[in-house]
Amino acid sequence: MATTTVSLPPPSERPGPISWLRRNLFNNMSNGITTILLLAALAYAIPALFNWAVTEAVTAPDHEACRVAKGACWGFIAEKYRLMAFGTYPFEEQWRPLVASAALVVLVIVSAIPAAWGRALIGAWVVGIPAILVLMGGGWFGLTEVETDRWGGLPLTLILATFGIALSFPLAVLLALGRASDLPAIKALCIGFIELVRGVPLITVLFMASLVIPLFLPEGVNFDKLLRAQIGFILFAAAYVAEVIRGGLAAIPKGQYEAADALGLSYWYKMGFIVLPQALKHVIAPLVNTFIGLFKDTSLVIIIGMFDLLGAVQVASNDPNWRSFYVEGLLAVAVIYFVFCYAMASYARWVERRLDRSNR
Protein backbone atom coordinates (compact mmCIF):
# COMPACT_ATOMS: atom_id res chain seq x y z
CA MET A 1 0.00 0.00 0.00
CA ALA A 2 1.46 3.38 -0.98
CA THR A 3 2.20 5.91 1.73
CA THR A 4 0.68 9.33 1.23
CA THR A 5 2.85 12.31 2.18
CA VAL A 6 0.98 15.31 3.52
CA SER A 7 2.60 18.69 3.01
CA LEU A 8 2.45 20.93 6.06
CA PRO A 9 2.19 24.70 5.80
CA PRO A 10 5.25 26.72 6.85
CA PRO A 11 5.34 28.16 10.37
CA SER A 12 3.12 31.17 10.65
CA GLU A 13 5.54 33.07 12.91
CA ARG A 14 8.87 34.24 11.64
CA PRO A 15 11.80 34.33 14.09
CA GLY A 16 12.40 37.82 15.41
CA PRO A 17 11.80 40.12 18.40
CA ILE A 18 8.05 40.36 17.82
CA SER A 19 7.78 36.58 17.72
CA TRP A 20 9.87 36.25 20.87
CA LEU A 21 7.73 38.77 22.75
CA ARG A 22 4.53 37.07 21.65
CA ARG A 23 5.82 33.61 22.59
CA ASN A 24 7.40 34.48 25.96
CA LEU A 25 5.64 37.54 27.37
CA PHE A 26 2.21 37.72 25.73
CA ASN A 27 1.37 34.08 25.07
CA ASN A 28 -1.82 34.30 27.15
CA MET A 29 -3.98 36.84 28.94
CA SER A 30 -2.46 36.49 32.42
CA ASN A 31 1.13 36.71 31.18
CA GLY A 32 0.27 39.73 29.07
CA ILE A 33 -1.30 41.58 32.02
CA THR A 34 1.66 40.67 34.25
CA THR A 35 4.11 41.93 31.63
CA ILE A 36 2.26 45.23 31.28
CA LEU A 37 2.14 45.76 35.05
CA LEU A 38 5.87 45.01 35.41
CA LEU A 39 6.73 47.39 32.57
CA ALA A 40 4.60 50.10 34.21
CA ALA A 41 6.36 49.54 37.55
CA LEU A 42 9.77 49.74 35.87
CA ALA A 43 8.75 52.88 33.99
CA TYR A 44 7.88 54.48 37.34
CA ALA A 45 10.83 53.19 39.37
CA ILE A 46 13.76 53.56 36.95
CA PRO A 47 13.52 57.37 36.48
CA ALA A 48 13.15 57.89 40.23
CA LEU A 49 16.10 55.60 40.93
CA PHE A 50 18.19 57.36 38.28
CA ASN A 51 17.41 60.75 39.80
CA TRP A 52 18.37 59.51 43.27
CA ALA A 53 21.57 57.75 42.17
CA VAL A 54 22.82 60.15 39.48
CA THR A 55 20.99 63.42 38.88
CA GLU A 56 20.54 64.56 42.48
CA ALA A 57 23.47 62.64 43.99
CA VAL A 58 26.48 64.15 45.72
CA THR A 59 29.86 62.70 44.75
CA ALA A 60 32.13 65.10 46.62
CA PRO A 61 33.21 64.05 50.15
CA ASP A 62 31.16 66.87 51.73
CA HIS A 63 28.82 65.72 54.49
CA GLU A 64 27.16 69.14 54.69
CA ALA A 65 26.21 68.98 51.00
CA CYS A 66 24.91 65.47 51.52
CA ARG A 67 22.56 66.61 54.27
CA VAL A 68 20.75 69.06 52.01
CA ALA A 69 20.83 66.87 48.89
CA LYS A 70 17.80 64.85 47.82
CA GLY A 71 19.82 62.09 46.19
CA ALA A 72 22.46 59.58 47.17
CA CYS A 73 25.57 60.58 49.05
CA TRP A 74 28.37 58.85 47.16
CA GLY A 75 30.69 61.22 48.95
CA PHE A 76 30.55 58.76 51.85
CA ILE A 77 32.37 56.22 49.68
CA ALA A 78 34.80 58.86 48.39
CA GLU A 79 35.63 59.77 51.99
CA LYS A 80 35.70 56.30 53.54
CA TYR A 81 36.72 53.98 50.69
CA ARG A 82 40.12 53.15 52.18
CA LEU A 83 38.59 52.28 55.55
CA MET A 84 35.92 50.21 53.78
CA ALA A 85 38.47 48.41 51.62
CA PHE A 86 41.21 47.74 54.19
CA GLY A 87 39.63 48.21 57.61
CA THR A 88 41.95 49.54 60.29
CA TYR A 89 45.11 48.42 58.50
CA PRO A 90 47.79 51.15 58.87
CA PHE A 91 47.12 53.88 56.34
CA GLU A 92 50.66 54.19 55.01
CA GLU A 93 50.94 50.38 54.57
CA GLN A 94 47.68 49.81 52.70
CA TRP A 95 49.51 49.09 49.46
CA ARG A 96 50.37 45.72 50.96
CA PRO A 97 46.79 44.37 51.36
CA LEU A 98 46.02 45.82 47.93
CA VAL A 99 48.84 43.82 46.32
CA ALA A 100 48.01 40.74 48.40
CA SER A 101 44.32 40.86 47.40
CA ALA A 102 45.19 41.30 43.73
CA ALA A 103 47.63 38.37 43.89
CA LEU A 104 45.03 36.13 45.56
CA VAL A 105 42.36 37.02 42.98
CA VAL A 106 44.79 36.36 40.12
CA LEU A 107 45.73 32.97 41.58
CA VAL A 108 42.06 31.99 41.87
CA ILE A 109 41.28 33.14 38.31
CA VAL A 110 44.26 31.29 36.84
CA SER A 111 43.30 28.18 38.83
CA ALA A 112 39.89 28.23 37.12
CA ILE A 113 41.48 27.89 33.65
CA PRO A 114 41.99 24.22 32.71
CA ALA A 115 44.88 25.08 30.38
CA ALA A 116 46.82 26.45 33.36
CA TRP A 117 46.54 23.28 35.45
CA GLY A 118 49.90 21.69 36.09
CA ARG A 119 53.04 21.87 38.18
CA ALA A 120 53.53 25.54 37.41
CA LEU A 121 50.16 26.38 39.00
CA ILE A 122 51.00 24.30 42.08
CA GLY A 123 54.30 26.14 42.33
CA ALA A 124 52.50 29.47 42.02
CA TRP A 125 50.28 28.59 44.99
CA VAL A 126 53.23 27.29 47.02
CA VAL A 127 55.04 30.59 46.47
CA GLY A 128 51.96 32.81 46.46
CA ILE A 129 50.42 31.83 49.79
CA PRO A 130 53.53 32.61 51.90
CA ALA A 131 54.06 35.80 49.89
CA ILE A 132 50.49 36.95 50.59
CA LEU A 133 50.80 36.20 54.30
CA VAL A 134 54.17 37.99 54.49
CA LEU A 135 52.71 41.01 52.73
CA MET A 136 49.77 41.14 55.11
CA GLY A 137 51.61 40.37 58.34
CA GLY A 138 55.03 41.89 57.69
CA GLY A 139 57.98 41.26 59.95
CA TRP A 140 60.10 40.08 57.00
CA PHE A 141 62.15 41.85 54.31
CA GLY A 142 61.91 45.15 56.12
CA LEU A 143 58.10 45.21 56.18
CA THR A 144 56.48 46.64 59.29
CA GLU A 145 54.72 43.98 61.33
CA VAL A 146 50.94 44.33 61.41
CA GLU A 147 48.92 42.22 63.85
CA THR A 148 46.03 40.23 62.42
CA ASP A 149 43.66 42.21 64.65
CA ARG A 150 44.20 45.09 62.22
CA TRP A 151 43.54 43.08 59.10
CA GLY A 152 40.15 43.92 57.66
CA GLY A 153 38.05 44.89 54.71
CA LEU A 154 38.16 43.06 51.40
CA PRO A 155 41.52 41.28 52.01
CA LEU A 156 40.16 39.63 55.15
CA THR A 157 37.00 38.52 53.31
CA LEU A 158 39.05 37.05 50.46
CA ILE A 159 41.47 35.24 52.79
CA LEU A 160 38.73 33.70 54.92
CA ALA A 161 36.63 32.67 51.91
CA THR A 162 39.44 31.39 49.68
CA PHE A 163 41.32 29.38 52.28
CA GLY A 164 38.11 28.29 53.97
CA ILE A 165 36.57 26.88 50.78
CA ALA A 166 39.83 25.40 49.45
CA LEU A 167 40.86 23.66 52.67
CA SER A 168 37.36 22.52 53.62
CA PHE A 169 36.84 20.64 50.34
CA PRO A 170 39.31 17.75 50.88
CA LEU A 171 38.10 17.42 54.47
CA ALA A 172 34.51 17.34 53.20
CA VAL A 173 35.37 14.57 50.73
CA LEU A 174 36.84 12.46 53.53
CA LEU A 175 33.79 13.10 55.73
CA ALA A 176 31.40 12.15 52.91
CA LEU A 177 33.34 8.94 52.21
CA GLY A 178 33.45 8.19 55.90
CA ARG A 179 29.70 8.67 56.27
CA ALA A 180 29.13 6.26 53.38
CA SER A 181 31.67 3.78 54.75
CA ASP A 182 30.82 0.25 55.88
CA LEU A 183 33.09 0.60 58.94
CA PRO A 184 30.79 1.39 61.90
CA ALA A 185 33.32 3.38 63.95
CA ILE A 186 34.39 5.65 61.08
CA LYS A 187 30.80 6.11 59.95
CA ALA A 188 29.66 7.03 63.47
CA LEU A 189 32.48 9.57 63.91
CA CYS A 190 31.75 11.24 60.59
CA ILE A 191 28.01 11.35 61.19
CA GLY A 192 28.56 12.75 64.68
CA PHE A 193 30.86 15.51 63.43
CA ILE A 194 28.64 16.48 60.50
CA GLU A 195 25.41 16.55 62.49
CA LEU A 196 27.01 18.39 65.42
CA VAL A 197 28.46 21.15 63.26
CA ARG A 198 25.39 21.45 61.04
CA GLY A 199 23.17 21.59 64.12
CA VAL A 200 24.62 24.89 65.37
CA PRO A 201 24.89 28.29 63.66
CA LEU A 202 28.23 29.56 62.36
CA ILE A 203 28.26 32.23 65.04
CA THR A 204 28.46 29.49 67.68
CA VAL A 205 31.33 27.79 65.85
CA LEU A 206 33.22 31.09 65.65
CA PHE A 207 32.64 31.74 69.35
CA MET A 208 33.91 28.25 70.15
CA ALA A 209 36.99 28.75 67.99
CA SER A 210 37.71 32.20 69.40
CA LEU A 211 36.86 31.82 73.08
CA VAL A 212 36.63 28.16 74.05
CA ILE A 213 39.61 26.63 72.23
CA PRO A 214 42.15 28.75 74.18
CA LEU A 215 40.75 27.30 77.43
CA PHE A 216 41.94 23.82 76.41
CA LEU A 217 45.44 24.92 75.42
CA PRO A 218 48.42 24.67 77.78
CA GLU A 219 49.32 27.80 79.68
CA GLY A 220 51.35 30.17 77.56
CA VAL A 221 50.19 28.62 74.28
CA ASN A 222 47.87 30.72 72.17
CA PHE A 223 46.72 30.66 68.57
CA ASP A 224 46.21 33.78 66.54
CA LYS A 225 42.55 34.89 66.52
CA LEU A 226 42.42 34.93 62.73
CA LEU A 227 43.81 31.40 62.61
CA ARG A 228 41.20 30.21 65.12
CA ALA A 229 38.42 31.86 63.10
CA GLN A 230 39.79 30.30 59.91
CA ILE A 231 39.84 26.83 61.49
CA GLY A 232 36.26 27.25 62.70
CA PHE A 233 35.18 28.42 59.26
CA ILE A 234 36.90 25.44 57.59
CA LEU A 235 35.23 22.93 59.92
CA PHE A 236 31.82 24.53 59.44
CA ALA A 237 32.18 24.59 55.65
CA ALA A 238 33.43 20.99 55.56
CA ALA A 239 30.31 19.71 57.30
CA TYR A 240 27.96 21.35 54.80
CA VAL A 241 30.01 20.48 51.72
CA ALA A 242 30.26 16.86 52.95
CA GLU A 243 26.49 16.50 52.87
CA VAL A 244 26.38 17.85 49.32
CA ILE A 245 29.04 15.35 48.21
CA ARG A 246 27.24 12.53 50.02
CA GLY A 247 24.17 13.33 47.94
CA GLY A 248 26.29 12.97 44.82
CA LEU A 249 27.62 9.61 46.02
CA ALA A 250 24.09 8.40 46.65
CA ALA A 251 23.11 9.34 43.08
CA ILE A 252 25.71 7.04 41.52
CA PRO A 253 24.13 3.74 40.35
CA LYS A 254 25.14 0.71 42.39
CA GLY A 255 26.38 -0.93 39.20
CA GLN A 256 29.31 1.50 39.09
CA TYR A 257 30.51 0.26 42.47
CA GLU A 258 29.96 -3.36 41.51
CA ALA A 259 31.76 -2.97 38.18
CA ALA A 260 34.77 -1.41 39.93
CA ASP A 261 34.81 -4.23 42.49
CA ALA A 262 34.54 -6.83 39.71
CA LEU A 263 37.66 -5.36 38.10
CA GLY A 264 39.54 -5.78 41.38
CA LEU A 265 40.12 -2.07 41.93
CA SER A 266 41.19 -0.93 45.38
CA TYR A 267 38.85 1.23 47.46
CA TRP A 268 40.80 4.46 46.94
CA TYR A 269 41.29 3.84 43.22
CA LYS A 270 37.59 3.07 42.83
CA MET A 271 36.56 6.21 44.69
CA GLY A 272 39.19 8.51 43.21
CA PHE A 273 38.82 7.54 39.56
CA ILE A 274 35.37 5.98 39.18
CA VAL A 275 32.86 7.14 41.78
CA LEU A 276 33.94 10.60 42.99
CA PRO A 277 34.32 12.20 39.53
CA GLN A 278 30.77 11.17 38.65
CA ALA A 279 29.43 12.23 42.05
CA LEU A 280 31.05 15.68 41.89
CA LYS A 281 29.70 16.18 38.37
CA HIS A 282 26.16 15.63 39.67
CA VAL A 283 26.50 18.17 42.51
CA ILE A 284 28.30 21.09 40.83
CA ALA A 285 25.28 23.39 41.24
CA PRO A 286 24.64 22.68 44.96
CA LEU A 287 28.39 22.79 45.65
CA VAL A 288 28.71 26.27 44.18
CA ASN A 289 25.53 27.34 45.95
CA THR A 290 27.13 26.25 49.23
CA PHE A 291 30.37 28.05 48.37
CA ILE A 292 28.47 31.26 47.62
CA GLY A 293 26.71 31.02 50.97
CA LEU A 294 30.03 30.46 52.73
CA PHE A 295 31.57 33.45 50.94
CA LYS A 296 28.81 35.68 52.30
CA ASP A 297 28.99 34.09 55.76
CA THR A 298 32.48 35.52 56.25
CA SER A 299 30.74 38.72 57.37
CA LEU A 300 29.87 36.97 60.66
CA VAL A 301 33.47 37.30 61.91
CA ILE A 302 32.43 40.74 63.16
CA ILE A 303 30.94 38.82 66.11
CA ILE A 304 34.47 38.03 67.35
CA GLY A 305 35.83 41.52 66.73
CA MET A 306 37.18 41.15 63.19
CA PHE A 307 36.06 43.59 60.53
CA ASP A 308 35.68 42.12 57.07
CA LEU A 309 34.29 44.06 54.12
CA LEU A 310 30.82 44.48 55.63
CA GLY A 311 32.18 45.09 59.12
CA ALA A 312 34.52 47.79 57.80
CA VAL A 313 31.52 49.63 56.34
CA GLN A 314 29.85 49.55 59.75
CA VAL A 315 33.02 50.96 61.31
CA ALA A 316 33.13 53.71 58.68
CA SER A 317 29.52 54.64 59.38
CA ASN A 318 30.31 55.26 63.06
CA ASP A 319 31.69 58.66 62.13
CA PRO A 320 29.09 61.16 63.45
CA ASN A 321 29.43 63.30 60.32
CA TRP A 322 28.56 60.40 58.03
CA ARG A 323 26.35 58.21 60.23
CA SER A 324 23.18 58.80 58.22
CA PHE A 325 24.74 57.86 54.87
CA TYR A 326 25.71 54.25 55.51
CA VAL A 327 23.14 52.99 52.96
CA GLU A 328 25.40 54.06 50.09
CA GLY A 329 28.27 52.10 51.66
CA LEU A 330 26.08 49.02 51.97
CA LEU A 331 25.09 49.35 48.31
CA ALA A 332 28.77 49.46 47.31
CA VAL A 333 29.44 46.32 49.36
CA ALA A 334 26.40 44.62 47.82
CA VAL A 335 27.83 45.28 44.34
CA ILE A 336 31.18 43.75 45.36
CA TYR A 337 29.50 40.66 46.81
CA PHE A 338 27.35 40.35 43.70
CA VAL A 339 30.38 40.49 41.38
CA PHE A 340 32.18 37.68 43.23
CA CYS A 341 29.08 35.51 43.67
CA TYR A 342 27.95 35.98 40.07
CA ALA A 343 31.45 35.09 38.87
CA MET A 344 31.32 31.83 40.86
CA ALA A 345 27.86 30.99 39.53
CA SER A 346 28.89 31.75 35.93
CA TYR A 347 31.99 29.60 36.23
CA ALA A 348 29.89 26.74 37.62
CA ARG A 349 27.54 26.93 34.62
CA TRP A 350 30.55 26.85 32.28
CA VAL A 351 31.94 23.78 34.06
CA GLU A 352 28.56 22.04 33.82
CA ARG A 353 28.40 22.65 30.09
CA ARG A 354 31.99 21.48 29.67
CA LEU A 355 31.35 18.24 31.57
CA ASP A 356 27.97 17.53 30.00
CA ARG A 357 29.48 15.29 27.33
CA SER A 358 27.00 12.44 27.73
CA ASN A 359 24.14 14.62 26.46
CA ARG A 360 26.00 16.03 23.46
Side-chain angles (χ1 to χ4, degrees), residues 189-204:
L189 287 174
C190 292
I191 291 176
F193 174 83
I194 292 172
E195 296 303 331
L196 177 64
V197 175
R198 292 176 69 241
V200 296
L202 178 57
I203 293 176
T204 304

Side-chain angles (χ1 to χ4, degrees), residues 94-341:
Q94 287 182 355
W95 65 270
R96 288 159 51 183
L98 176 61
V99 174
S101 300
L104 187 57
V105 171
V106 169
L107 281 173
V108 172
I109 292 175
V110 172
S111 300
I113 303 174
W117 296 348
R119 295 182 179 179
L121 181 59
I122 297 175
W125 277 101
V126 171
V127 174
I129 291 176
I132 290 170
L133 296 179
V134 168
L135 272 174
M136 292 294 298
W140 295 75
F141 308 109
L143 296 175
T144 305
E145 185 174 359
V146 179
E147 299 292 335
T148 55
D149 289 344
R150 307 214 41 197
W151 297 14
L154 183 60
L156 180 62
T157 296
L158 292 177
I159 289 172
L160 287 171
T162 303
F163 293 145
I165 291 172
L167 297 178
S168 67
F169 187 77
L171 178 58
V173 171
L174 294 176
L175 287 171
L177 294 177
R179 182 158 189 169
S181 173
D182 294 328
L183 301 176
I186 294 178
K187 184 173 184 177
L189 287 174
C190 292
I191 291 176
F193 174 83
I194 292 172
E195 296 303 331
L196 177 64
V197 175
R198 292 176 69 241
V200 296
L202 178 57
I203 293 176
T204 304
V205 176
L206 292 174
F207 266 123
M208 289 285 292
S210 179
L211 303 177
V212 178
I213 288 179
L215 300 178
F216 295 94
L217 298 176
E219 186 175 355
V221 177
N222 187 27
F223 282 109
D224 183 85
K225 182 165 69 172
L226 175 59
L227 180 59
R228 297 198 301 269
Q230 186 73 82
I231 292 173
F233 192 78
I234 290 171
L235 296 178
F236 183 84
Y240 277 84
V241 175
E243 281 298 279
V244 176
I245 296 175
R246 185 179 71 88
L249 293 174
I252 302 301
K254 189 177 180 181
Q256 296 291 311
Y257 294 87
E258 295 173 345
D261 292 335
L263 291 174
L265 300 181
S266 66
Y267 174 80
W268 292 111
Y269 196 97
K270 174 179 68 176
M271 289 297 174
F273 293 94
I274 306 297
V275 177
L276 267 178
Q278 298 182 70
L280 295 178
K281 175 186 172 182
H282 287 313
V283 296
I284 290 176
L287 268 180
V288 174
N289 184 60
T290 304
F291 291 156
I292 289 174
L294 294 171
F295 178 80
K296 293 183 291 185
D297 283 344
T298 56
S299 60
L300 294 176
V301 294
I302 193 175
I303 299 297
I304 58 175
M306 304 187 73
F307 301 100
D308 71 318
L309 181 61
L310 184 60
V313 174
Q314 296 179 2
V315 173
S317 65
N318 289 334
D319 187 335
N321 293 325
W322 298 95
R323 188 168 296 167
S324 58
F325 308 112
Y326 67 94
V327 173
E328 287 80 353
L330 294 178
L331 287 175
V333 170
V335 171
I336 295 174
Y337 274 109
F338 173 79
V339 169
F340 281 98
C341 294

